[in-house]
Amino acid sequence: MLTQSDQLRIAEWLPLIADVTHQHLDTVTEGAARPRVAARGIILCRYRSGPEPGMMVQRGRRKRRQRGSAEGMRAMPLDWSKIGAGDQEPLLRPREIYTALTNRPWSYLRQEQGEVLEKWFARKDDRDIVIKQNTGGGKTVAGLLIAQSTLNEGIGKAVYLAPDTYLAGRVREEAARLGLATATDTDDLAFRSQQAILVTTFQKLINGKSVFGVAGDGRDQIDLGIVVVDDAHAALAATEGQFRLTIPDDHPAYKKLLKLFAADLKNQSLKVWEDIEADDYTATARIPFWSWAQQRQTVMKMLHPHRLEREFKFKWPLISEVLHLCAATVTSRSVEIRPPCPPISMIPSFANARRRVYLTATLADDSILVTDLNADPALLTRPVTPGSAADLGDRMILAPIALNRGLDDEAVRVLARQFADGDRDGDNVQDAKPINVVVLVPSTKAAEAWKPYADRTFYVGDLDAGVAALKAGHVGLVVLVNKYDGVDLPGTACELLILDGVPRPMDAVERREAIALADSPARLAREVQRIEQGMGRGVRDAKDYCAVLLLGANLGVATHDPRHLNLFSPATQAQLKLSRDIANLIQGEGLDSIRTALSACLARDPQWVERSRRALAEIRYVETSVIRPEAIALRRAFDLAAQGQSSAAADTLQEAINDLEDRAMRGWLMEQKAAYLDLTDPAAAQQLLVAAGRENSFVLRPTTGVAPAQIKAAAVQAREAAIFLAHEYKDAMNLVLGMRKLLEKIVWDEERTDDAEAAWEQLGRHLGLTSTRPEKLYGTGPDNLWALSAKRHAVVELKTGCTAATIAKKDLDQLGGSVRWDQEHHPEVTPLPVMIHPTGVLDDRGIVVPNMRVVTPEKLEKLKGAVLAYAVALADGQGRWGDEQAVAMRLAHGKLNAGNIFQIYAEAPRSAAASR
């Protein structure tokens, strides 16, 4: 009800307002919490009058009142705070909030955004909600409006979390366009009084010195009504990093830890220990969990004094209470200490937030939200999505290597440069508008290959300037290093996007996991996530378009192999299918056909546009998310173990293990179960590790070690190869791409030696040879062992990370030791010593191993060529890679049979004197 004085004031002001607003306005915005001016000078204010809102309407125009003497008239200034400030109902529905905004950037929200907001509002009291939209579908706007709705409802403070500072800045810009108040500091009174949304990074909330409060630190904790996690899958990488204590090799605690656990690490693998001592970057070893638990008090005394140091202070408070449960992994550069799951309860503001909303890409698997953020799996299985998935921009996605096996990456780089210059037919004459070409690469080393063609190269630190330049106009060919998510390049900012590889796991725990779970669905899901995020940079709106090229066999496989394809979003799958139709038409053609296809997309050929839109028209989002049972079990088991219930934790994991068909994952979980079991029954834990090793060869070995298994050569090499190839590849394209992907991993790169060793083992199997990795399996022996025949083994040491000009004495000694290992365990076999090394020249101090052969870079390239020709020949025509006779003929033709391979594709070493 209005008071009498309020009514008198309004009666006095109305004539003045009417006089000021004599011009007619076109529309009345509904729901705004202030006076509204309509056509014909009508003043509308919404008030409450009893239980129902009433409307006070004053029509027409009145004459101004005369005040005072003949000196004239003075208009009373309007105090707008008094207008429409009655007892109003706050707007709660996000769509209505948007409609009421004064300077909204669009007249209406997109249909997909409106659908998402309505579905969220219907479920707003669910504590955990995941919202899925296609890349560029407007998730940021939806997240901001949801946060504002929660503020209006009075539920509590609102925080919007971005993966990094760059993206947080973009969110604040979006909020400013909408006219929503934001804050950047937890001390901001507007945030504290629930009048503004705090926009910050995930790291600002999740760290051991969090201004929001950490459990047990004695500070006041900030209660939150809602936390919106933007680009949740990207933010999770930051989460894992915040709960990982990394002790660098120049820190005094590093050497103390290595000394304390030296014997345990040597027992696991003497070679890895020597590699760590020799500063081999790729060498990775987990400290056995039983040793870590036994030494928990010593470790605590060793690390606790450093808790306030730079390397420790942001991580130590988060993991110190569960230090005994952590996995400690050693490399030559650091010791990494990380719990099985982040103890997110250490950040009460997040753990106890009344609402938690996760904005994600359209990936099917959301298991990581459970393991890392302890989200409720039952709620996550029902994602909030728009009704249609057709809100994705137009993309043509081609993998040149899948179109023509003869096309190399350098040819594609030339094409990219020409398109950036407006030369689409490749005749060095401009025939079209120059465009921005953006190349995403995973590392500085990968960026080097683009250096001759790039106009600019940007890293994370200078992305602001780079993206601004691309949006402002034509820059040319731009390389972005290790930034596959969170970069918005709408419209002409990026019309041709190239992915040249995907980020590889860099921390020690992930590297170990990548080896142990190489082809596990969990690993594939992460890889597909990175690819989909990367491909989405150039389409930020349904009206956007972008041509996409994927370089390398690894990306080619991802867009062809069903195991990968099924993990992409429905809309991306539809675009890949349409693009494959084009690929089938130009299969085997050269670059000219690729130029024609790309030009159809970029020139907006009506036939392409019509088919592209039709391909998406009927696509719907998946109504349920995948939450893998083992992820739920891992989270529950960790929480139980953190509460001191280690036996219950082990039982919880066993329930998941029982239902798993993936042997690699079974063994991985069994190792974790053994770690929990060790806290109450060490003997049972060791027995379990023996069983785990049978499921996954790359888990920890028990204290008693693992007896090396006798290996037997295939009775008939061609028959074994045909069986393997038929099982591994279902079509010709998969065979060729799979083989190229394999060969691309055998490279001279110190950061990829594990990849090379794994690929060499697989190469042996593709050729029909029994192939193993004794050093990984047993902690001793050669890197690889190929059974060439019943009487002959190839004992292989890979030095693909070596940069020396000669074969060093220690490498020769290592090869000699591996030969003796093979003779000890296979006394009936004659070893053939083989080293893969960048030179065939011996160090003067070294002693050559008798009958030794060296695969040099030149020989390796010839071997790769022969292997690829073997795959292509089997894939061509009738596709006879499962036919023993056809395989035998191709093996003989390429001189890849066991008796010839190292005679043809390796050479005898030379002394330094002889090579001068």
Side-chain angles (χ1 to χ4, degrees):
M1 292 290 292
L2 292 174
T3 66
Q4 186 176 9
S5 61
D6 285 336
Q7 292 176 5
L8 289 172
R9 284 197 198 95
I10 292 172
E12 183 180 29
W13 291 343
L14 276 172
L16 300 174
I17 299 170
D19 193 55
V20 171
T21 58
H22 60 275
Q23 67 265 30
H24 292 182
L25 301 178
D26 294 330
T27 59
V28 179
T29 303
E30 296 182 0
R34 53 180 167 273
R36 297 175 178 80
V37 184
R40 301 176 185 173
I42 299 174
I43 310 300
L44 304 176
C45 298
R46 179 176 294 176
Y47 295 94
R48 285 192 60 84
S49 178
E52 298 295 332
M55 297 294 295
M56 182 183 71
V57 181
Q58 173 69 41
R59 297 179 178 273
R61 185 183 299 176
R62 295 180 179 175
K63 295 181 180 180
R64 299 185 181 187
R65 295 183 177 181
Q66 295 290 334
R67 294 195 177 187
S69 64
E71 292 180 2
M73 297 178 296
R74 289 186 303 168
M76 175 181 287
L78 297 179
D79 185 354
W80 287 102
S81 66
K82 302 293 181 64
I83 306 297
D87 182 17
Q88 305 169 52
E89 277 189 282
L91 297 174
L92 299 185
R93 289 184 177 276
R95 291 180 74 168
E96 292 183 357
I97 295 172
Y98 182 81
T99 302
L101 296 175
T102 305
N103 298 314
R104 60 183 186 270
W106 317 280
S107 297
Y108 302 99
L109 289 169
R110 300 181 202 168
Q111 178 180 338
E112 294 81 7
Q113 289 173 313
E115 289 171 348
V116 160
L117 292 172
E118 285 299 301
K119 290 180 180 180
W120 170 82
F121 191 75
R123 289 181 50 195
K124 62 186 175 64
D125 292 326
D126 284 355
R127 186 159 178 265
D128 287 309
I129 295 180
V130 60
I131 294 178
K132 294 191 177 190
Q133 284 183 268
N134 285 320
T135 301
K139 292 190 291 290
T140 301
V141 171
L144 287 167
L145 290 173
I146 286 169
Q148 187 64 50
S149 171
T150 302
L151 287 181
N152 290 359
E153 191 176 353
I155 295 296
K157 302 175 189 68
V159 174
Y160 190 110
L161 300 177
D164 54 45
T165 54
Y166 169 79
L167 295 175
R170 302 292 77 75
V171 174
R172 284 191 282 272
E173 288 176 4
E174 193 72 77
R177 283 210 304 162
L178 294 170
L180 298 178
T182 62
T184 60
D185 194 301
T186 53
D187 290 331
D188 192 311
L189 289 178
F191 164 66
R192 292 279 184 165
S193 61
Q194 302 177 35
Q195 300 301 308
I197 303 164
L198 177 65
V199 178
T200 187
T201 64
F202 212 74
Q203 290 94 327
K204 186 76 172 180
L205 173 63
I206 311 293
N207 70 80
K209 293 291 183 182
S210 176
V211 293
F212 291 82
V214 177
D217 69 357
R219 290 181 294 168
D220 290 337
Q221 295 157 5
I222 300 176
D223 293 330
L224 299 178
I226 187 168
V227 178
V228 178
V229 183
D230 195 359
D231 208 352
H233 286 86
L236 289 169
T239 308
E240 293 174 351
Q242 294 302 90
F243 288 90
R244 180 179 63 241
L245 174 62
T246 301
I247 304 171
D249 61 339
D250 59 356
H251 192 280
Y254 174 86
K255 290 183 172 56
K256 291 180 181 178
L257 286 170
L258 257 63
K259 182 178 180 180
L260 180 63
F261 294 107
D264 302 291
L265 291 170
K266 290 176 183 177
N267 285 338
Q268 283 292 308
S269 174
L270 184 58
K271 178 181 179 294
V272 171
W273 172 261
E274 292 295 336
D275 288 341
I276 291 172
E277 290 280 277
D279 198 29
D280 183 338
Y281 166 69
T282 63
T284 304
R286 178 180 177 178
I287 296 172
F289 57 75
W290 57 92
S291 304
W292 184 257
Q294 289 166 4
Q295 299 286 358
R296 69 177 80 175
Q297 292 185 3
T298 304
V299 171
M300 179 62 76
K301 290 180 180 179
M302 191 181 294
L303 300 182
H304 187 266
H306 303 289
R307 66 193 181 279
L308 301 180
E309 296 175 359
R310 179 176 55 85
E311 293 92 346
F312 282 68
K313 63 181 180 181
F314 293 107
K315 313 293 179 65
W316 179 257
L318 300 180
I319 69 168
S320 55
E321 290 295 330
V322 292
L323 190 64
H324 62 294
L325 301 177
C326 290
T329 308
V330 178
T331 72
S332 63
R333 299 186 182 180
S334 67
V335 175
E336 295 179 6
I337 302 172
R338 177 170 150 183
C341 293
I344 200 70
S345 60
M346 294 300 296
I347 307 294
S349 294
F350 181 86
N352 301 327
R354 294 166 182 82
R355 293 174 181 169
R356 302 187 295 192
V357 175
Y358 312 96
L359 309 179
T360 78
T362 50
L363 301 175
D365 193 331
D366 287 321
S367 302
I368 196 170
L369 296 176
V370 176
T371 54
D372 283 21
L373 298 181
N374 201 17
D376 186 332
L379 295 175
L380 295 186
T381 57
R382 299 184 293 120
V384 168
T385 66
S388 168
D391 57 334
L392 185 64
D394 172 22
R395 293 184 300 190
M396 179 185 288
I397 306 168
L398 300 174
I401 198 171
L403 301 176
N404 186 329
R405 294 182 287 269
L407 292 177
D408 62 12
D409 291 350
E410 198 65 20
V412 177
R413 293 187 184 103
V414 172
L415 177 149
R417 179 66 261 173
Q418 291 170 334
F419 267 65
D421 296 333
D423 173 19
R424 295 187 183 173
D425 59 9
D427 63 356
N428 296 319
V429 177
Q430 182 179 334
D431 52 50
K433 180 191 73 170
I435 62 172
N436 284 329
V437 178
V438 176
V439 184
L440 305 184
V441 297
S443 65
T444 301
K445 185 170 184 176
E448 284 296 313
W450 288 93
K451 194 171 183 180
Y453 307 100
D455 292 295
R456 302 287 298 276
T457 298
F458 294 109
Y459 296 82
V460 174
D462 51 13
L463 270 182
D464 275 347
V467 172
L470 287 166
K471 288 181 177 179
H474 181 252
V475 180
L477 195 153
V478 174
V479 178
L480 303 184
V481 181
N482 199 23
K483 190 61 180 174
Y484 284 63
D485 53 66
V487 177
D488 295 343
L489 300 170
T492 58
C494 173
E495 293 183 72
L496 176 57
L497 176 70
I498 301 175
L499 269 65
D500 188 2
V502 292
R504 300 175 61 253
M506 295 305 294
D507 70 74
V509 174
E510 282 192 0
R511 290 210 305 273
R512 181 172 179 263
E513 182 181 281
I515 295 169
L517 301 177
D519 294 320
S520 171
R523 293 296 309 175
L524 292 181
R526 287 201 180 193
E527 186 172 296
V528 167
Q529 171 203 333
R530 291 183 174 117
I531 295 171
E532 179 136 27
Q533 284 177 325
M535 290 196 302
R537 297 310 96 205
V539 285
R540 312 305 301 170
D541 186 279
K543 297 179 182 179
D544 272 352
Y545 62 88
C546 183
V548 181
L549 292 179
L550 306 176
L551 264 61
N554 192 37
L555 287 168
V557 168
T559 58
H560 191 85
D561 177 37
R563 292 177 302 172
H564 290 78
L565 280 173
N566 294 336
L567 296 171
F568 284 102
S569 69
T572 298
Q573 288 185 46
Q575 291 182 328
L576 286 169
K577 183 178 183 300
L578 181 64
S579 299
R580 188 184 295 183
D581 290 343
I582 292 177
N584 290 337
L585 286 177
I586 61 176
Q587 184 75 39
E589 301 291 331
L591 275 178
D592 287 345
S593 294
I594 296 178
R595 293 176 188 277
T596 301
L598 294 176
S599 295
C601 174
L602 297 175
R604 314 311 296 140
D605 184 302
Q607 296 192 69
W608 162 256
V609 173
E610 185 271 332
R611 284 162 176 78
S612 176
R613 289 176 178 170
R614 188 171 62 193
L616 292 175
E618 300 300 322
I619 299 298
R620 296 291 181 268
Y621 285 95
V622 177
E623 294 183 356
T624 58
S625 289
V626 173
I627 308 294
R628 289 178 282 106
E630 66 267 24
I632 299 172
L634 277 167
R635 181 78 238 184
R636 289 177 178 169
F638 172 73
D639 290 342
L640 286 168
Q643 296 165 12
Q645 302 178 55
S646 55
S647 294
D651 292 341
T652 298
L653 282 179
Q654 186 59 52
E655 293 175 8
I657 292 167
N658 292 340
D659 297 329
L660 270 175
E661 295 182 2
D662 181 352
R663 291 190 63 189
M665 182 59 78
R666 281 173 59 87
W668 190 252
L669 292 185
M670 289 166 76
E671 180 188 88
Q672 185 57 59
K673 178 191 171 183
Y676 292 142
L677 194 58
D678 180 74
L679 298 173
T680 55
D681 192 344
Q686 292 299 316
Q687 292 176 357
L688 183 59
L689 272 185
V690 175
R694 290 195 289 267
E695 302 288 341
N696 187 327
S697 302
F698 301 107
V699 300
L700 285 169
R701 286 176 285 277
T703 53
T704 55
V706 177
Q710 293 283 309
I711 67 168
K712 295 183 179 180
V716 180
Q717 182 183 349
R719 183 185 306 158
E720 194 68 24
I723 293 171
F724 178 86
L725 295 175
H727 177 269
E728 195 74 11
Y729 302 108
K730 303 308 178 187
D731 63 51
M733 182 60 70
N734 267 335
L735 170 61
V736 175
L737 288 177
M739 192 67 86
R740 292 199 69 144
K741 176 181 177 180
L742 184 71
L743 296 174
E744 283 181 2
K745 292 181 178 180
I746 307 174
V747 292
W748 307 99
D749 187 338
E750 64 176 357
E751 295 186 2
R752 301 185 63 185
T753 55
D754 268 328
D755 289 348
E757 289 180 19
W760 189 265
E761 178 194 25
Q762 286 297 310
L763 175 59
R765 295 183 180 182
H766 281 71
L767 299 178
L769 303 172
T770 303
S771 176
T772 65
R773 299 175 67 185
E775 191 281 320
K776 287 291 183 186
L777 292 173
Y778 315 119
T780 184
D783 291 333
N784 281 89
L785 188 66
W786 283 6
L788 301 175
S789 69
K791 298 294 184 182
R792 190 79 160 163
H793 284 177
V795 178
V796 185
E797 291 292 345
L798 286 89
K799 300 299 174 186
T800 54
C802 182
T803 57
T806 59
I807 302 175
K809 178 181 184 300
K810 66 179 181 63
D811 293 336
L812 291 167
D813 292 344
Q814 183 181 9
L815 181 60
S818 294
V819 166
R820 290 188 292 274
W821 180 92
D822 189 47
Q823 290 174 323
E824 178 184 349
H825 293 285
H826 304 93
E828 74 286 358
V829 171
T830 301
L832 173 65
V834 177
M835 183 174 289
I836 302 173
H837 199 283
T839 179
V841 179
L842 299 169
D843 187 278
D844 288 336
R845 295 167 294 178
I847 299 175
V848 66
V849 182
N851 303 315
M852 172 183 171
R853 306 289 290 175
V854 183
V855 180
T856 60
E858 181 183 0
K859 292 291 186 180
L860 180 60
E861 286 308 305
K862 289 181 179 179
L863 174 61
K864 286 183 177 182
V867 171
L868 185 58
Y870 160 76
V872 170
L874 291 173
D876 284 348
Q878 300 178 14
R880 299 178 61 194
W881 60 89
D883 183 320
E884 179 183 337
Q885 291 185 343
V887 172
M889 182 176 69
R890 300 317 310 177
L891 286 171
H893 182 269
K895 296 181 173 56
L896 296 171
N897 44 37
N900 288 334
I901 189 167
F902 290 113
Q903 295 306 311
I904 302 299
Y905 302 109
E907 62 186 41
R910 309 183 306 278
S911 67
S915 62
R916 293 190 184 105

